[in-house]
Amino acid sequence: MAEKKAVKLISAEGFEFIVDHDAACVSNTIKNMLSSQGNFIENELGEIRFPEISTPVLEVVCKSFYFKLRYANTASKNIPEFKVAPEMALELLMAANYLDM
Amino acid sequence: MGLACSKKCSLDEEGEGTAPTIVRLSPFRPRRWSSLSRRSLSAGSAAGGAGDSAVPSLLSLAADAAAADLAALPARALAALPADLSQLLLERLVATAALDDAAIASLAGLGLHFFSLPLGGYPELVRPAWLRCLASPSLEAADLSKTGVTDEALASLGCPPRLARLNLDYCVDITDAGPALLQGLTALEDLSLAGCEQVTPLGVRCLAGLTRLRRLNLQTCHAVSDLAALRALRQLEALDLGWCSSVGDADAKALSHFTRLRELSLARTQVSDGGVAHLNSLSGLRLLNLAGLSVSDDALATLLCQLPQLRTLSLDRCLQAGDKALAAACKHAPQLQELCLGYTGVSDNGLQKLAGLQQLRVLNLENCSVGDRGLEVLAGLTALQRLDLSDTAAGNGTMSHVGQLRQLESLNLAFSGVNDWGLKRLTKLSRLRSLNLDSRLFTDAGMPYVAKLASLECLDLFGARISDAGCASISKLANLLRLEVCGGGVTDTGVASLGALSKLQHLSLAQNYRVGNPAIQHIIKLNELTALSLSQSRVTSNSVVALGCLPQLQALVLYETRVKPMAVDKLLAANPDLVVQGVAPSSAASRSGSGAV
């Protein structure tokens, strides 16, 4: 399998977010879905649907993929704050729980 | 798919005892999602994930954001939270001290489930309304220690059918009505009522029905006695009766029926020789604490012959205990790992028997009449990690043997016969983290040897005769976290050297009357400092205010200095978390100085 292919994440409303494979694998759930071991259909198509995650929440999720990758090896005092809007907090909590990230 | 499963199946109407909602897997059951076990409860939002990255997980960020503004969250969404997420939210609220009446009002009536209430030591009083909201059928553990919970609040907790662990330590308002309320908690396995001084034998009798109880802590419950009432508690494995001054020999007799007991403390009770004899049947005991008892050497020897599984034994301040008891312990309990013989009558002759205890990790011989001759036996105890020789006649000869104990992490030589030359033998102790040298026999000459102990974190030189030269040596200990140098010989030059100890968290320079204002500029460099004592020094108000810039400082002690209240005001203004002892602030609304250094 082409390891570095982009991955498509589809929100409840049908919006498609295309992110790097490495970015998507910040989420352990997605990582498991995409790994060859799983035999998930998502692995073959390279796209995953999230009917329970709304678009703005999925957008923040994608942003946090890249945030994590960017600051993975930085000293904690240099890491800027990743702001989470309070209105979104609970939905994000559920999404982060499901995505294991 | 996962999201759909994690929603609760039904949203109950407000009613008691309706159709039970399906409760999700709790963190305390054996099978767990591996992800939940990796989420740590750390203060602030820097909760790391499984890896070593310092970037907080999205889960913790979202939980922090939700906890920060609970009132703004829509009730419908809150009610839909699965149990492990509502538990996470509660933990964030507690960790950030954001749990209060308003927060409880937001959470009440939504049918939320919690597995554990980690409220121990919470800064606000836990009221009945809180427990009414937080108690749910899924509750398995509740830590309410030091929360000021009263009998009334305990009643609001109800009887969660799965509650297995309950901690009510130091809830001093709990009376016998409290244990009476606990009678319905049939699943209880671990109950702690330490410090609940109003509990009497009447209350103890109420616990008789809790047959699943495995651990019971009644420490400092002075009125408690009549343990025969608990005879139905056959599963009891750990029982702490320390400082229960009404417990006596009759109670010890009742204890002999608890054959599953593994841990027992009878410290400072009224148990005497007769009572101790009854403990012979407890052959499975692994931990036995008999500190402060007036029992004879012979009685102890007879008992210790019967306890082959002992790992931890404390005979601290059993003044009549001596060589016979020690011999019995060493012969019949060869797996001993921790042995406390402080203030006993053990002598050099008796110490020879320690040679067989190859697994000994902790040994306390404080104030025993032992010296170099008896302490030769230490050479063979290579597993030792903590050794206390304070107030003994141990001398430099013993240090040759101690120097070979490569696993040693903590060593106490206060008021012993060891002097600077003895320290020379200790330089190979690469694991030593804590060293107490509180004795007039240690001077600057010994400090270069101490400086070689690179892993040292705690150094207590309280009364040692250390001056600036010694400080220069000490400053090489880069890992030092705690330092006390209070012998009176340190001046500003010495403090300048100590400024190099960048990791220092706790520093006492009390009684160094020659330390003055020039020292402050060096102390300011110590960014990690949380506690500082400058009592009896020559610092004055103008320089002391500079200490307000120390970011982590929580305690500052200034007894017998010429610092004025006005300076304290400025310090408190610069650092609201600071507690100053020794000088009161001048403002009328005085801050409570209850923090201890």
Side-chain angles (χ1 to χ4, degrees):
Chain A
M1 294 296 300
E3 289 288 359
K4 299 302 172 192
K5 214 161 65 170
V7 172
K8 197 189 282 187
L9 308 176
I10 306 170
S11 75
E13 291 90 5
F15 277 76
E16 298 177 350
F17 293 86
I18 300 173
V19 297
D20 295 316
H21 181 101
D22 288 344
C25 288
V26 166
S27 154
N28 281 316
T29 310
I30 295 179
K31 188 170 168 183
N32 289 333
M33 286 179 181
L34 294 177
S35 73
S36 313
Q37 307 277 39
N39 278 337
F40 289 106
I41 198 168
E42 290 88 353
N43 187 15
E44 294 168 27
L45 294 179
E47 68 176 49
I48 308 176
R49 293 183 179 279
F50 296 106
E52 300 282 347
I53 305 182
S54 69
T55 310
V57 174
L58 191 54
E59 183 183 6
V60 173
V61 166
C62 291
K63 283 186 185 168
S64 84
F65 289 154
Y66 287 98
F67 183 82
K68 178 86 181 236
L69 287 183
R70 164 67 183 86
Y71 293 108
N73 290 319
T74 320
S76 26
K77 51 186 175 184
N78 294 334
I79 299 177
E81 191 192 339
F82 185 89
K83 287 199 172 60
V84 171
E87 316 75 71
M88 206 182 280
L90 284 182
E91 282 189 75
L92 206 55
L93 191 63
M94 307 265 269
N97 188 31
Y98 170 56
L99 292 172
D100 187 12
M101 58 181 287
Chain B
M1 181 180 88
L3 216 64
C5 280
S6 61
K7 276 209 180 110
K8 282 193 343 209
C9 293
S10 62
L11 196 62
D12 266 9
E13 291 287 287
E14 229 353 51
E16 48 280 320
T18 49
T21 52
I22 294 173
V23 172
R24 298 291 298 146
L25 291 173
S26 89
F28 300 105
R29 297 205 191 278
R31 42 201 178 115
R32 262 323 279 157
W33 300 330
S34 60
S35 56
L36 204 55
S37 64
R38 281 189 274 122
R39 290 170 197 155
S40 56
L41 202 201
S42 50
S45 51
D52 45 334
S53 165
V55 179
S57 66
L58 188 61
L59 188 75
S60 60
L61 285 171
D64 284 342
D69 201 359
L70 202 61
L73 302 176
R76 194 170 168 71
L78 260 181
L81 274 184
D84 50 338
L85 290 183
S86 52
Q87 175 68 35
L88 184 67
L89 189 58
L90 176 65
E91 286 169 9
R92 295 314 305 157
L93 285 168
V94 170
T96 53
L99 191 67
D100 55 11
D101 288 334
I104 293 286
S106 308
L107 295 173
L110 297 175
L112 289 173
H113 286 267
F114 303 100
F115 301 115
S116 115
L117 302 184
L119 295 167
Y122 194 68
E124 256 196 70
L125 193 65
V126 172
R127 296 180 189 80
W130 293 28
L131 290 177
R132 250 195 302 279
C133 162
L134 297 174
S136 65
S138 54
L139 201 59
E140 295 182 7
D143 181 1
L144 299 170
S145 56
K146 300 183 196 169
T147 51
V149 157
T150 59
D151 294 331
E152 185 199 342
L154 207 52
S156 311
L157 191 63
C159 282
R162 288 212 184 84
L163 193 59
R165 296 206 289 285
L166 180 58
N167 187 337
L168 291 165
D169 287 351
Y170 301 103
C171 292
V172 293
D173 295 321
I174 301 253
T175 67
D176 285 333
L181 289 164
L182 300 179
Q183 285 179 91
L185 297 173
T186 47
L188 214 52
E189 291 178 5
D190 188 338
L191 175 62
S192 191
L193 290 165
C196 295
E197 297 178 333
Q198 298 190 56
V199 173
T200 69
L202 205 63
V204 169
R205 249 168 257 150
C206 295
L207 301 176
L210 301 175
T211 47
R212 289 234 183 102
L213 218 52
R214 284 192 285 140
R215 303 183 68 90
L216 179 59
N217 185 343
L218 293 168
Q219 203 186 93
T220 328
C221 295
H222 303 294
V224 157
S225 67
D226 187 25
L227 295 174
L230 297 179
R231 92 181 70 83
L233 302 185
R234 291 276 168 198
Q235 312 270 17
L236 214 54
E237 289 173 8
L239 180 59
D240 191 340
L241 295 166
W243 278 265
C244 292
S245 39
S246 305
V247 165
D249 287 344
D251 300 304
K253 186 167 175 203
L255 290 182
S256 59
H257 295 294
F258 295 134
T259 46
R260 287 223 184 154
L261 223 48
R262 296 276 173 277
E263 296 174 21
L264 177 63
S265 173
L266 291 169
R268 301 287 182 177
T269 58
Q270 298 300 316
V271 171
S272 65
D273 285 0
V276 158
H278 290 294
L279 301 179
N280 293 344
S281 57
L282 304 176
S283 51
L285 268 185
R286 296 200 174 203
L287 183 152
L288 181 60
N289 185 350
L290 298 174
L293 292 186
S294 316
V295 285
S296 68
D297 203 17
D298 289 313
L300 284 171
T302 317
L303 172 65
L304 291 170
C305 290
Q306 318 271 350
L307 304 177
Q309 306 288 341
L310 266 189
R311 303 277 194 277
T312 305
L313 175 64
S314 176
L315 298 173
D316 188 46
R317 290 173 210 253
C318 292
L319 304 174
Q320 302 165 48
D323 293 341
K324 277 192 208 148
L326 182 56
C330 295
K331 183 167 173 199
H332 295 273
Q335 297 176 60
L336 266 178
Q337 292 174 359
E338 294 187 25
L339 184 55
C340 179
L341 298 167
Y343 292 86
T344 58
V346 163
S347 72
D348 279 334
N349 292 332
L351 281 189
Q352 315 292 335
K353 302 288 192 315
L354 283 177
L357 297 179
Q358 285 304 302
Q359 299 189 27
L360 203 61
R361 290 194 294 207
V362 176
L363 179 61
N364 184 333
L365 293 168
E366 186 182 351
N367 196 276
C368 290
S369 313
V370 295
D372 285 349
R373 185 169 67 86
L375 291 169
E376 278 175 1
V377 72
L378 289 177
L381 300 176
T382 46
L384 265 185
Q385 291 174 1
R386 301 214 303 266
L387 179 60
D388 188 335
L389 295 172
S390 57
D391 232 347
T392 63
N396 295 337
T398 306
M399 292 302 104
S400 319
H401 305 301
V402 171
Q404 294 167 39
L405 301 173
R406 297 303 166 89
Q407 308 289 333
L408 211 59
E409 292 175 7
S410 164
L411 179 62
N412 188 339
L413 299 172
F415 298 104
S416 63
V418 180
N419 62 27
D420 292 328
W421 302 117
L423 293 178
K424 192 172 176 184
R425 319 261 169 86
L426 298 179
T427 51
K428 294 274 194 316
L429 295 177
S430 53
R431 292 224 184 145
L432 203 62
R433 284 188 290 164
S434 171
L435 183 59
N436 186 329
L437 299 176
D438 181 9
S439 155
R440 301 298 286 168
L441 299 175
F442 297 115
T443 69
D444 290 341
M447 292 306 104
Y449 304 124
V450 173
K452 293 195 183 151
L453 300 167
S455 53
L456 214 56
E457 291 174 3
C458 297
L459 181 59
D460 186 347
L461 288 164
F462 189 82
R465 288 181 288 163
I466 305 296
S467 66
D468 296 341
C471 288
S473 306
I474 296 166
S475 64
K476 302 202 184 105
L477 294 167
N479 287 321
L480 215 55
L481 299 176
R482 297 174 68 99
L483 175 65
E484 296 196 29
V485 194
C486 308
V490 179
T491 72
D492 297 328
T493 321
V495 180
S497 333
L498 294 179
L501 298 170
S502 53
K503 290 191 190 172
L504 211 57
Q505 292 172 6
H506 181 120
L507 174 63
S508 177
L509 293 165
Q511 299 180 163
N512 289 303
Y513 59 94
R514 282 182 281 183
V515 165
N517 290 334
I520 304 271
Q521 56 176 318
H522 302 293
I523 296 177
I524 294 180
K525 291 188 250 173
L526 302 171
N527 283 326
E528 308 284 325
L529 217 55
T530 58
L532 172 66
S533 174
L534 291 169
S535 301
Q536 293 99 21
S537 66
R538 281 201 295 206
V539 295
T540 61
S541 305
N542 289 342
S543 297
V544 157
V545 289
L547 294 172
C549 73
L550 285 171
Q552 315 273 9
L553 199 63
Q554 290 169 12
L556 178 60
V557 186
L558 294 169
Y559 288 104
E560 294 173 52
T561 58
R562 281 180 294 160
V563 175
K564 300 276 187 314
M566 174 215 44
V568 175
D569 289 342
K570 287 191 189 164
L571 279 169
L572 295 176
N575 183 350
D577 290 330
L578 185 61
V579 172
V580 177
Q581 290 181 15
V583 182
S586 62
S587 47
S590 60
R591 302 184 65 86
S592 62
S594 56
V597 177

